């Protein structure tokens, strides 16, 4: 049976800052050698060349080593950074660590991690990627002690996108790639990965190559997929609930139907186990919400609740940044906290124009 989980959210005060993680470790809230995953937001541009992700990654791993964790073990910890804190969003990290707790028959938070086989540039956007991701999700579920896919509420992934270098590599071997536009490959990698999550959890049947990025009726309600230049495998963190692990925390999920769907966020929080009034206010959370994790996507028809918007036509500010700022503002208004994990590029993650929402709560 996996260990119980301690989870805390900490602010990031500058691009290379990991001082709040160091404080958690110094105060004995967590032990450096028991940290198993970190998921956070950095203040970069969120694009292919967002190096704040690499800077933050180094800063947090260096603190873990400084505080006593084995350097080799630290290099294997899944650390997933989503770049871009547009609008009111605030840079932060959510730290997961194992802890000792009395076993409980209640459903409580559990985490499992796995890496896929190597993803070649020609795999990205195709069924080969879906298959490799699905296999890694199943391994992570097993490591989390989860047997029922219904107990999986959040699957955070990090996968490679295409760069000029990897496109050239594929061509040198006589292979083709789905797209030669590196920024478009971010959406592609995320969307194809989400289909792999959906297949692993039985949310959909195995799609075809033609379905990728085209059939938006195919999606996962729990996938949160990011991509970057940092790795050449799918890094998969499965977060759910299991009986027997014990601990104070529980996770739940829902979906936002569109960019303004506050009810979807509240439903995720209720799903995690908090009792709330019919028309809740952020003060009703009473400090029990650890964090929410959302993906968002501009609606492909350029509409929100019957009103036209110009995000897809804007040549000055990419829609990635606009929808992230929009959903980030809606989320902060719900939770009362701008330090929320809101990530863009949600193809096949929740319904078109919406996205998945996961919430972790402290049940005491």
């Amino acid at each position: 049976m996996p260990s119980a989980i301690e989870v805390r959210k900490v602010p990031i005060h500058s691009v290379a800052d990991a001082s709040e993680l160091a404080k958690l470790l110094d105060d004995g809230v967590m032990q450096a050698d028991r940290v198993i995953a970190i998921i956070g937001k950095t203040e970069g541009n969120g694009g292919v060349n967002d190096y704040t992700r690499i800077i933050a990654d180094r800063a947090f791993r260096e603190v873990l080593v400084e505080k006593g964790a084995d350097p080799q073990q630290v290099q294997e910890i899944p650390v997933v950074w989503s770049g871009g804190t547009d609008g009111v969003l605030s840079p932060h990290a959510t730290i997961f660590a194992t802890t000792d707790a009395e076993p409980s028959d209640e459903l409580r938070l559990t985490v499992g991690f796995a890496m896929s086989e190597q993803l070649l540039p020609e795999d990205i956007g195709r069924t080969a990627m879906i298959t490799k991701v699905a296999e890694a999700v199943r391994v992570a579920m097993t490591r989390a002690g989860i047997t029922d896919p219904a107990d999986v509420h959040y699957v955070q992934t990090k996968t490679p996108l295409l760069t000029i270098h990897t496109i050239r590599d594929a061509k040198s071997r006589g292979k083709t790639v789905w797209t030669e536009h590196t920024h478009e490959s971010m959406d592609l990698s995320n969307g194809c990965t989400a289909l792999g999550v959906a297949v692993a959890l039985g949310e959909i049947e195995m799609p075809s190559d033609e379905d990728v990025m085209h059939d938006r009726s195919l999606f996962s309600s729990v996938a949160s997929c990011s991509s970057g230049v940092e790795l050449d495998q799918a890094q998969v963190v499965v977060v759910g609930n299991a009986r027997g692990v014990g601990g104070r925390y529980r996770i739940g999920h829902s979906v936002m139907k569109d960019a303004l769907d506050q009810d979807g966020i509240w439903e995720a929080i209720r799903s995690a186990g908090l009792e709330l009034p019919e028309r809740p206010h952020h003060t009703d959370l009473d400090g029990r919400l650890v964090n929410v994790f959302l993906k968002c996507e501009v609606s492909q028809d350029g509409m929100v609740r019957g009103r036209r918007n110009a995000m897809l036509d804007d040549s000055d500010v990419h829609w990635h940044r606009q929808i992230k700022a929009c959903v980030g503002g809606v989320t902060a208004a719900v939770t009362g906290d701008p330090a929320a994990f809101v990530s863009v590029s949600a193809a096949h993650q929740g319904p078109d124009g919406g996205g998945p929402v996961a919430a972790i709560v402290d049940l005491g």
Side-chain angles (χ1 to χ4, degrees):
M1 178 60 65
S3 299
I5 300 296
E6 180 66 41
V7 55
R8 297 295 178 96
K9 179 171 68 177
V10 297
I12 297 175
H13 301 297
S14 65
V15 175
D17 172 60
S19 61
E20 296 291 344
L21 169 61
K23 187 173 186 298
L24 282 180
L25 301 175
D26 288 341
D27 291 346
V29 176
M30 297 174 171
Q31 297 177 32
D33 60 358
R34 300 191 71 172
V35 172
I36 59 170
I38 300 172
I39 299 171
K41 291 292 297 180
T42 66
E43 60 202 81
N45 61 24
V48 175
N49 64 335
D50 184 351
Y51 299 111
T52 65
R53 297 188 298 245
I54 298 173
I55 293 169
D57 188 275
R58 175 176 293 181
F60 274 70
R61 292 187 197 273
E62 286 178 350
V63 164
L64 292 175
V65 172
E66 177 188 325
K67 299 299 180 181
D70 177 76
Q72 181 59 43
Q73 176 186 332
V74 168
Q75 287 306 309
E76 296 172 0
I77 294 172
V79 181
V80 180
W81 297 106
S82 169
T85 49
D86 302 85
V88 300
L89 290 172
S90 184
H92 69 279
T94 304
I95 320 295
F96 297 83
T98 60
T99 189
D100 297 320
E102 289 295 322
S104 169
D105 288 334
E106 299 294 326
L107 286 168
R108 290 294 184 267
L109 187 71
T110 182
V111 177
F113 165 67
M115 296 290 284
S116 76
E117 294 180 37
Q118 182 184 14
L119 290 166
L120 301 171
E122 59 266 29
D123 293 339
I124 296 174
R126 293 168 174 154
T127 51
M129 184 179 194
I130 295 172
T131 299
K132 291 177 181 180
V133 169
E135 290 171 354
V137 171
R138 295 184 187 107
V139 171
M141 272 184 64
T142 299
R143 292 175 177 172
I146 297 174
T147 56
D148 186 349
D151 289 327
V152 175
H153 295 278
Y154 177 46
V155 181
Q156 178 64 57
T157 67
K158 190 77 173 188
T159 51
L161 44 71
L162 292 168
T163 66
I164 295 301
H165 171 74
T166 57
I167 292 169
R168 188 167 61 242
D169 169 64
K171 288 181 174 180
S172 73
R173 293 181 287 105
K175 305 296 184 180
T176 63
V177 292
W178 199 93
T179 179
E180 295 191 22
H181 298 284
T182 58
H183 199 273
E184 181 185 33
S185 77
M186 178 181 295
D187 298 334
L188 174 67
S189 181
N190 292 356
C192 193
T193 301
L195 292 174
V197 174
V199 167
L201 300 180
E203 295 178 281
I204 62 171
E205 298 296 325
M206 185 69 184
S208 67
D209 282 345
E210 291 72 26
D211 292 326
V212 178
M213 302 301 289
H214 294 120
D215 186 350
R216 297 300 181 102
S217 70
L218 302 175
F219 64 82
S220 170
S221 296
V222 299
S224 175
C225 305
S226 294
S227 53
V229 298
E230 305 96 314
L231 72 177
D232 64 358
Q233 298 167 275
Q235 182 174 267
V236 177
V237 182
V238 166
V239 189
N241 299 313
R243 301 186 191 277
V245 296
R248 298 163 42 190
Y249 303 96
R250 200 160 99 182
I251 187 169
H253 81 277
S254 186
V255 295
M256 291 179 74
K257 296 180 178 66
D258 60 35
L260 303 178
D261 185 15
Q262 296 185 41
D263 290 340
I265 303 173
W266 285 119
E267 183 54 38
I269 297 170
R270 286 190 175 97
S271 169
L274 287 191
E275 293 186 8
L276 296 167
E278 183 178 352
R279 292 180 62 83
H281 184 263
H282 67 81
T283 54
D284 296 316
L285 296 171
D286 195 27
R288 294 172 295 171
L289 177 66
V290 177
N291 205 3
V292 287
F293 305 84
L294 301 89
K295 290 294 292 189
C296 56
E297 177 88 353
V298 66
S299 179
Q300 296 297 294
D301 63 5
M303 305 286 284
V304 176
R305 300 198 179 181
R307 298 289 191 180
R308 183 177 71 90
N309 67 74
M311 283 186 280
L312 289 172
D313 291 325
D314 195 328
S315 299
D316 296 313
V317 181
H318 194 275
W319 65 263
H320 275 194
R321 310 202 73 162
Q322 297 189 50
I323 193 67
K324 191 189 306 177
C326 167
V327 174
V330 171
T331 304
V334 168
T335 66
D337 185 358
F341 186 92
V342 179
S343 177
V344 76
S345 186
H348 300 298
Q349 297 153 77
D352 181 37
V357 188
I360 297 175
V361 301
D362 185 347
L363 295 178

